[in-house]
Amino acid sequence: MLVLDSVPKELPTSLFHLKHVSLKEMRLVDDGLRFLFALMKCSPNLEKVSLELNYDWCYKMKICSGIFEEYSDVSLEHLKELDIVWFWNLKPEMDFLKFVLARSPKLKKVCLLFMADSVEEELEMQRVLLRAPRASPVEIDLKWMGQRPPKCLFPDL
């Protein structure tokens, strides 16, 4: 487990050989989002990102103003696949997803295992994703989940 008092804008070294990163208990707000962007920025050959998100009620109220602009230079030139487990369709999560879609010219597949309170919420999420700008013709696979994430994404669960 990595715990930092503050997250640097860039990591001290480049991770050229890093092709796949799998992170659990992630929060796509504040320092969690800054850490993920710093990791992506110093990993130019990253091809796959797997995230298991952590959710609490305070998270629902968070707004990540400024963070996306702060990391607007992040390029995901080699990213081919993004898996997110426990996607709740909250603003920080959707903003992150749209950020990745717009900056990943080789992205082929996004797999979202999501929770939705209603069919209407799921349909709204689909509408937003269909309209989101994309750098590639990516396939977005949405799967409603009512239980723990499948072993295929996180085999050591």
Side-chain angles (χ1 to χ4, degrees):
M1 173 181 271
L2 178 66
V3 178
L4 299 173
D5 289 333
S6 65
V7 177
K9 184 159 171 61
E10 292 187 27
L11 298 180
T13 185
S14 289
L15 303 171
F16 289 106
H17 301 290
L18 185 64
K19 294 199 182 248
H20 179 204
V21 65
S22 178
L23 300 170
K24 296 181 183 185
E25 299 295 320
M26 280 295 302
R27 291 187 182 174
L28 296 179
V29 294
D30 302 328
D31 287 343
L33 189 57
R34 282 188 176 91
F35 170 74
L36 186 55
F37 281 150
L39 182 65
M40 291 172 144
K41 187 174 183 176
C42 75
S43 306
N45 296 315
L46 195 59
E47 294 179 0
K48 182 175 181 179
V49 175
S50 299
L51 303 173
E52 179 184 331
L53 301 183
N54 185 350
Y55 173 83
D56 65 40
W57 294 108
C58 296
Y59 181 44
K60 193 170 190 171
M61 303 303 177
K62 294 278 187 175
I63 297 173
C64 301
S65 61
I67 296 176
F68 292 97
E69 293 80 14
E70 188 179 332
Y71 289 93
S72 62
D73 60 337
V74 170
S75 176
L76 302 167
E77 293 295 321
H78 297 283
L79 189 66
K80 295 177 183 173
E81 193 171 341
L82 173 66
D83 297 328
I84 302 178
V85 177
W86 295 110
F87 188 86
W88 283 82
N89 192 28
L90 302 175
K91 181 163 177 33
E93 297 170 353
M94 188 58 79
D95 287 348
F96 171 76
L97 183 54
K98 290 193 279 188
F99 183 92
V100 170
L101 289 172
R103 286 171 171 73
S104 306
K106 294 184 180 176
L107 190 63
K108 293 182 176 158
K109 185 167 185 181
V110 172
C111 180
L112 298 177
L113 278 75
F114 71 94
M115 297 297 293
D117 293 330
S118 66
V119 173
E120 291 80 17
E121 184 180 336
E122 179 183 351
L123 291 173
E124 179 58 27
M125 180 175 58
Q126 291 176 2
R127 276 191 285 273
V128 169
L129 289 173
L130 284 172
R131 294 180 185 141
R134 301 173 189 199
S136 66
V138 59
E139 171 192 343
I140 299 177
D141 187 13
L142 298 172
K143 295 179 183 170
W144 184 84
M145 58 185 288
Q147 57 188 13
R148 294 290 298 157
K151 298 272 185 203
C152 63
L153 291 180
F154 295 97
D156 55 341
L157 281 180

